[in-house]
């Protein structure tokens, strides 16, 4: 059986310490093997990671200008949650620890989500979906 593919989402950050502290307060951990003074490897799951990279270091990887996520949106990052309560827990924790609101909550009954901006303006969506709806039984 093939090895599951991994994804490393690379995000530029203005202040690595502030951003690491923010995500630590949301309950995320970091992989020190892929972290240093310019980069922190945020562990989202066994196969999904966000590389939080200081802007000067991030510039080493692209010829393009770095988008200012506080003014423009280049990506929406969506995370699943195991319940509506877990959606609220993460969104509330983000807002209480330096995040800011992104969009209005979304409640479709079988699907519920909230979003926030991290300290760098990247938009994170946290979504719960009724398992029966996913299986086409709702």
């Amino acid at each position: 059986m093939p090895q599951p593919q991994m994804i490393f989402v690379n995000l530029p950050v203005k202040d690595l310490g502030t951003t690491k502290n923010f995500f630590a307060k949301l309950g995320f951990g970091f992989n020190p093997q892929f972290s240093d003074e310019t980069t922190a490897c945020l562990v989202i799951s066994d196969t999904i990671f966000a590389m939080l990279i200081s802007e000067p270091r991030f510039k080493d990887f692209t010829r393009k200008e770095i988008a200012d996520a506080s003014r423009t949106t280049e990506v929406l990052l969506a995370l699943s949650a195991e319940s509506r309560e877990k959606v609220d827990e993460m969104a509330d924790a983000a807002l209480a620890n330096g995040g800011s609101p992104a969009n209005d909550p979304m409640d479709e009954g079988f699907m519920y989500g909230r979003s926030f901006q991290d300290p760098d303006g990247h938009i994170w969506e946290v979504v719960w979906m009724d398992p029966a709806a996913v299986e086409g039984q709702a």
Side-chain angles (χ1 to χ4, degrees), residues 2 18 24 42 66 78 93 111 118 122:
T18 296
L42 177 74
I66 296 174
M111 186 168 56
D118 68 22
H122 304 292

Side-chain angles (χ1 to χ4, degrees), residues 78-82 87 106 111-114 125-129:
L79 300 172
S80 63
E82 57 191 51
V87 169
M106 178 264 312
M111 186 168 56
Y112 175 70
R114 289 178 57 194
E125 298 177 333
V126 187
V127 179
W128 167 82
M129 189 175 230

Side-chain angles (χ1 to χ4, degrees), residues 27 38 47 50 74 83 93 96 110 114 118 133:
T38 64
T47 58
E74 181 179 29
S83 68
F110 68 93
R114 289 178 57 194
D118 68 22

Side-chain angles (χ1 to χ4, degrees), residues 1-132:
M1 197 141 151
Q3 182 88 357
Q5 199 165 14
M6 300 169 76
I7 183 169
F8 293 83
V9 176
N10 296 276
L11 297 173
V13 302
K14 294 183 184 330
D15 183 314
L16 186 59
T18 296
T19 302
K20 282 179 63 175
N21 187 45
F22 173 78
F23 283 105
K25 288 180 178 178
L26 297 186
F28 289 99
F30 298 90
N31 182 333
Q33 182 180 4
F34 300 112
S35 301
D36 60 23
E37 65 281 350
T38 64
T39 304
C41 179
L42 177 74
V43 178
I44 297 171
S45 78
D46 290 343
T47 58
I48 303 170
F49 307 87
M51 301 301 293
L52 308 172
I53 306 171
S54 64
E55 286 186 352
R57 178 70 174 126
F58 193 90
K59 287 179 183 178
D60 292 339
F61 297 101
T62 182
R63 295 182 196 162
K64 295 182 178 182
E65 281 188 47
I66 296 174
D68 180 350
S70 67
R71 295 183 316 112
T72 61
T73 301
E74 181 179 29
V75 65
L76 299 174
L77 302 152
L79 300 172
S80 63
E82 57 191 51
S83 68
R84 294 172 69 97
E85 294 77 22
K86 293 293 185 187
V87 169
D88 288 334
E89 284 177 23
M90 183 174 289
D92 290 343
L95 297 175
N97 289 291
S100 59
N103 297 307
D104 292 333
M106 178 264 312
D107 191 347
E108 299 292 329
F110 68 93
M111 186 168 56
Y112 175 70
R114 289 178 57 194
S115 58
F116 60 87
Q117 296 180 73
D118 68 22
D120 293 284
H122 304 292
I123 298 174
W124 294 78
E125 298 177 333
V126 187
V127 179
W128 167 82
M129 189 175 230
D130 183 341

